[in-house]
């Protein structure tokens, strides 16, 4: 490995073919040396550890995160003990409990955790998941009235509910007790009146665990339930470690920061998942044709999207039912249905993405706007969030995709943002200006409802409001490189060494490697807009590489040309095809030395 620094950027790249500057990920040299000596690491790995903010003495827990060392005290969460008392009392009284879950992976995982704890304690509880199309997100007065009429005596909301003021007020009016388990941001003074509200992001919670997904919060709740059950002398509490796979599903698929306790949940949960004891996850692995030990790739790209497909374009409760069932035949049936829905979702998503790109690039000056807002009739609301994320990756700025229902005279939109641009705050401001029927979110994602004739005014408002933030974000937009490698040096040993940093996600980015002055051999355009090629350089090595969804970008077009050296940056992935135990580079960016 060599030093690739330089005043103009890493390898001199001040502007890549995607418009980014490259820079070496910043790391303290003294801290790097201390990690080397205390942990016996190579310099590149020690440097990567230092660059991720891991202080001296913390490296051991980071490389081997354990629940014993990092599990928080449940009592540190506001209302956690109160929630445990209510739920255990309901168990003892055999009250009819309903879990009201969000329709995504985090909601399904959270619901399954509660179902499995109560089942282990001898009681089956029901699951209710609202339909994305007809009911929208979270609890509603109509849903609570329905549950009350059907005999519910206690409702536990998971991954939703903290901001459902109207629904919770209705529940109080009709005498339906509600416990809220959530993790979404809350504004000061907005806590609704419920039996208990457990949310590390409520303003008065001092747990310091605000980065947890709802499944992580629910897992801590199970520990509190065990403690409360033990206090009351109930039957021996279940071993929660068996359900760590569900906590990991929520943490990874909800793209939460994998630091501290949350990192331990993900790391230990993947180990449990690798035993494939959960019938639903095992069935989903089989239909996805996944192999090997569970990883963030399995969860984020193979299992998670299939679970989400039920809530996006199918029956919203399929994921929660799959993760909570112990019936192998039912699991196989549900997994097959979700797999088919996922295939349909991919096609719907591709159609909407193609139409959105055409619209953006055919409208004059659209790509220069601070925020891209694209709308069209009948775009499926179940895929607009995914498409917004794809557009953000392509144009590297906030993007909002709106599907318009002309019959109802409403557009439902979902947005994704660029680091440094607070989209949720801007959407909230648009709502306060009267431009939206509803809207909110957080810095990186937002949702909204709008009248179709107000979309042009909304677009102008957001572009003006976000212009300064976007300009700063664009100037700072860069690709951070962990190490410079050669084609010969990219081997299984290097990949294995850096895997000690896994699991990867927000707060712990997957290592990014750069290779300088490589030549492209045998480029091939693949179906789906992907590009595959072989990279060679002066080291004499050959490195297989693939660039996903880059075929029609400047970087992809350059990869399809043979001749002339380029710099590439990407992530190493294992390549076990036919037992070869090699690696390939998943290309993130390309720089042409003649154009940097």
């Amino acid at each position: 490995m060599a030093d690739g620094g330089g005043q103009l950027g890493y390898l001199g790249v001040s502007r890549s073919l995607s418009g980014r500057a490259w820079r070496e990920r910043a790391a303290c040299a003294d801290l790097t040396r201390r990690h080397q000596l205390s942990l016996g690491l190579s310099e590149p790995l020690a440097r990567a550890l230092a660059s991720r903010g891991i202080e001296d003495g913390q490296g051991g827990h980071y490389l081997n995160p354990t629940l014993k060392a990092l599990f928080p005290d449940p009592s540190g969460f506001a209302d956690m003990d109160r929630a445990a008392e209510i739920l255990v009392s309901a168990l003892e009284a055999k009250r009819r409990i309903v879990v009201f879950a969000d329709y995504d992976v985090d909601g399904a995982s959270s619901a399954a955790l509660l179902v499995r704890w109560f089942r282990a304690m001898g009681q089956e509880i029901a699951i209710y998941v609202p339909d994305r199309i007809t009911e929208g997100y979270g609890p509603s007065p109509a849903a609570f009235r329905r549950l009350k009429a059907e005999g519910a005596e206690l409702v536990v909301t998971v991954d939703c509910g903290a901001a459902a003021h109207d629904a919770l007020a209705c529940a109080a009016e009709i005498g339906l007790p509600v416990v809220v388990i959530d993790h979404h941001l809350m504004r000061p003074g907005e806590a609704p009146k419920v039996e208990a509200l457990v949310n590390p992001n409520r303003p008065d919670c001092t747990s310091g665990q605000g980065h947890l997904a709802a499944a992580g919060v629910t897992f801590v709740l199970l520990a509190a339930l065990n403690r409360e059950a033990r206090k009351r002398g109930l039957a021996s509490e279940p071993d929660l470690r068996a359900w760590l796979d569900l906590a990991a599903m929520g943490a990874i698929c909800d793209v939460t920061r994998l630091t501290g306790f949350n990192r331990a949940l993900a790391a230990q949960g993947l180990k449990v998942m690798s035993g494939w004891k959960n019938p639903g996850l095992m069935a989903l692995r089989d239909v996805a044709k996944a192999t090997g030990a569970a990883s963030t790739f399995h969860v984020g790209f193979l299992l998670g999207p299939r679970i989400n497909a039920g809530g996006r374009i199918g029956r919203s409760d399929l994921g929660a039912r799959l993760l909570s069932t112990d019936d192998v035949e039912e699991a196989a049936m549900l997994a097959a249905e979700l797999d088919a829905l996922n295939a349909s979702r991919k096609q719907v998503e591709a159609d909407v993405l193609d139409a959105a790109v055409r619209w953006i690039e055919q409208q004059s000056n659209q790509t220069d706007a601070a925020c891209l807002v694209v709308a069209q009739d009948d775009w499926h609301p179940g895929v607009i969030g995914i498409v917004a994320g794809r557009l953000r990756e392509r144009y590297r700025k906030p993007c909002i995709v709106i599907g318009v229902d002309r019959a109802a005279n409403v557009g439902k939109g979902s947005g994704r943002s660029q680091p440094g641009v607070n989209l949720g705050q801007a959407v909230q401001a648009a709502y306060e200006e009267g431009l939206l029927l509803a809207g909110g979110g957080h810095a990186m994602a937002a949702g909204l409802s709008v009248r179709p004739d107000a979309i042009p005014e909304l677009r102008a408002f957001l572009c003006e409001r976000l212009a300064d933030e976007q300009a700063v974000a664009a100037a700072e937009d860069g690709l951070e490189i962990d190490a410079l490698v050669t084609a010969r040096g990219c081997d299984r040993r290097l990949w294995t060494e850096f895997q000690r940093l896994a699991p990867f996600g927000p707060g712990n980015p997957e290592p990014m490697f750069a290779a300088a002055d490589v030549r492209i051999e045998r480029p091939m355009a693949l179906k789906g807009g992907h590009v595959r090629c072989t990279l060679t350089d002066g080291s004499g090595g050959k490195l297989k590489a693939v660039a996903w969804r880059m075929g029609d970008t400047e970087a992809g077009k350059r990869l399809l040309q043979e001749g002339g050296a380029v710099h590439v940056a990407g992530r190493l992935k294992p390549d076990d095809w036919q037992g070869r135990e090699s690696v390939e580079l998943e290309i993130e960016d390309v720089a042409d030395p003649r154009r940097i």
Side-chain angles (χ1 to χ4, degrees):
M1 300 190 185
D3 179 10
Q7 289 186 339
L8 292 178
Y10 200 77
L11 296 175
V13 179
S14 58
R15 185 174 177 82
S16 70
L17 294 181
S18 71
R20 286 177 279 183
W22 292 6
R23 53 177 174 259
E24 187 175 48
R25 204 181 299 278
C28 170
D30 185 54
L31 180 58
T32 297
R33 284 192 294 273
R34 291 202 297 274
H35 282 324
Q36 274 187 271
L37 294 173
S38 63
L39 300 171
L41 306 179
S42 68
E43 192 278 338
L45 184 59
R47 191 182 188 287
L49 198 63
S51 72
R52 283 156 178 77
I54 310 306
E55 297 296 334
D56 192 22
Q58 298 177 351
H61 284 319
Y62 196 82
L63 295 175
N64 183 31
T66 64
L67 294 177
K68 182 178 180 180
L70 298 168
F71 206 103
D73 179 3
S75 298
F77 291 71
D79 271 7
M80 181 70 83
D81 290 339
R82 172 68 178 151
E85 291 170 1
I86 293 168
L87 291 174
V88 175
S89 292
L91 170 72
E92 288 185 304
K94 299 190 182 303
R95 299 172 70 193
R96 187 167 188 273
I97 303 171
V98 178
V99 182
F100 190 111
D102 188 21
Y103 33 63
D104 67 0
V105 175
D106 193 23
S109 300
S110 301
L113 283 167
L114 276 176
V115 168
R116 289 185 173 280
W117 188 87
F118 274 92
R119 182 180 296 154
M121 298 297 288
Q123 181 174 339
E124 288 292 333
I125 62 176
I127 297 173
Y128 184 92
V129 184
D131 183 89
R132 180 190 291 262
I133 308 301
T134 61
E135 298 180 80
Y137 168 79
S140 65
F144 279 160
R145 289 193 189 98
R146 174 181 169 182
L147 291 174
K148 175 71 172 178
E150 292 175 350
E153 297 177 279
L154 174 65
V155 172
V156 184
T157 71
V158 290
D159 195 27
C160 59
H165 299 283
D166 291 344
L168 294 172
C170 173
E173 289 174 9
I174 63 177
L176 180 62
V178 178
V179 170
V180 174
I181 310 298
D182 205 348
H183 71 125
H184 291 97
L185 295 177
M186 297 176 63
R187 291 187 294 273
E190 75 167 2
K193 293 182 179 178
V194 291
E195 299 299 306
L197 193 159
V198 182
N199 182 346
N201 284 307
R202 60 182 277 182
D204 61 339
C205 185
T206 59
S207 67
Q209 298 294 328
H211 56 296
L212 290 178
V217 181
T218 305
F219 194 82
V220 177
L221 172 64
L222 299 194
L225 291 174
N226 269 359
R227 187 169 64 184
E228 182 66 21
R230 190 184 318 125
K231 189 186 304 181
R232 301 191 191 191
L234 299 185
S236 58
E237 66 267 16
D239 184 352
L240 305 183
R241 293 174 296 181
W243 305 327
L244 277 166
D245 48 5
L246 296 174
M249 288 292 297
I252 294 167
C253 291
D254 228 49
V255 200
T256 57
R257 288 184 62 82
L258 298 184
T259 58
F261 169 59
N262 204 36
R263 176 173 168 80
L265 277 181
Q268 299 303 323
L270 288 172
K271 292 179 182 178
V272 171
M273 192 183 301
S274 296
W276 303 107
K277 296 294 178 62
N278 182 296
L281 291 176
M282 182 173 64
L284 212 55
R285 176 203 64 180
D286 292 344
V287 297
K289 297 180 173 58
T291 58
S295 66
T296 52
F297 172 78
H298 285 88
V299 173
F301 294 93
L302 298 178
L303 307 182
R306 286 170 167 80
I307 293 172
N308 276 332
R312 292 189 184 282
I313 64 171
R315 299 210 319 273
S316 57
D317 65 345
L318 292 177
R321 287 172 56 198
L322 176 78
L323 296 180
S324 59
T325 186
D326 287 322
D327 186 320
V328 174
E329 291 185 3
E330 182 186 24
M333 178 190 69
L334 292 170
E337 186 172 356
L338 285 168
D339 187 54
L341 286 169
N342 190 54
S344 299
R345 186 271 307 169
K346 286 181 181 179
Q347 187 57 57
V348 173
E349 175 194 327
D351 292 343
V352 173
L353 179 60
D354 288 346
V357 169
R358 284 197 304 272
W359 191 92
I360 291 169
E361 298 190 349
Q362 288 172 5
Q363 303 298 312
S364 60
N365 300 322
Q366 281 299 311
T367 55
D368 295 329
C371 177
L372 298 178
V373 180
V374 57
Q376 190 165 303
D377 291 1
D378 301 323
W379 277 348
H380 199 295
V383 302
I384 56 175
I386 303 176
V387 172
R390 298 278 189 240
L391 295 177
R392 188 215 66 82
E393 291 174 6
R394 182 184 183 103
Y395 298 107
R396 309 200 63 74
K397 61 181 61 181
C399 297
I400 294 176
V401 179
I402 302 172
V404 177
D405 182 342
R406 291 292 173 184
N409 192 35
V410 67
K412 295 291 183 70
S414 185
R416 299 294 182 269
S417 193
Q418 188 74 353
V421 183
N422 193 325
L423 182 60
Q425 195 174 72
V427 167
Q428 180 65 34
Y431 173 72
E432 293 169 356
E433 284 286 315
L435 296 175
L436 300 175
L437 301 173
H442 53 78
M444 295 299 292
L448 57 86
S449 296
V450 61
R451 294 297 181 203
D453 57 6
I455 292 174
E457 188 177 357
L458 172 66
R459 182 184 292 114
F461 175 88
L462 292 174
C463 285
E464 180 179 359
R465 182 177 178 89
L466 295 175
D468 291 343
E469 284 184 53
Q470 171 58 23
V472 173
E476 295 178 351
D477 186 18
L479 187 67
E480 295 194 310
I481 308 296
D482 285 284
L484 183 66
V485 296
T486 64
R488 182 179 292 278
C490 282
D491 56 18
R492 194 59 170 241
R493 180 201 59 77
L494 178 66
W495 175 81
T496 300
E497 180 182 20
F498 273 82
Q499 279 300 112
R500 295 186 65 185
L501 296 175
F504 303 114
N508 180 34
E510 189 168 355
M512 186 70 62
F513 299 98
D517 297 318
V518 297
R519 294 187 175 274
I520 303 158
E521 293 183 354
R522 298 188 295 279
M524 181 187 309
L526 304 178
K527 183 180 178 181
H530 315 309
V531 177
R532 188 173 290 283
C533 61
T534 298
L535 305 175
T536 64
D537 60 16
S539 71
K542 291 182 180 291
L543 177 62
K544 290 173 60 178
V546 62
W548 303 116
R549 295 186 298 274
M550 278 194 192
D552 62 348
T553 67
E554 286 298 310
K557 292 171 184 176
R558 180 63 186 86
L559 289 174
L560 288 169
Q561 300 173 13
E562 291 188 277
V566 296
H567 305 327
V568 299
R571 304 170 186 85
L572 282 182
K573 300 292 183 179
D575 177 14
D576 295 330
W577 178 250
Q578 295 182 333
R580 63 167 54 100
E581 292 193 352
S582 184
V583 294
E584 70 175 5
L585 186 73
E586 285 191 355
I587 295 175
E588 169 70 20
D589 203 2
V590 180
D592 190 328
R594 298 167 297 181
R595 297 171 57 184
I596 59 177

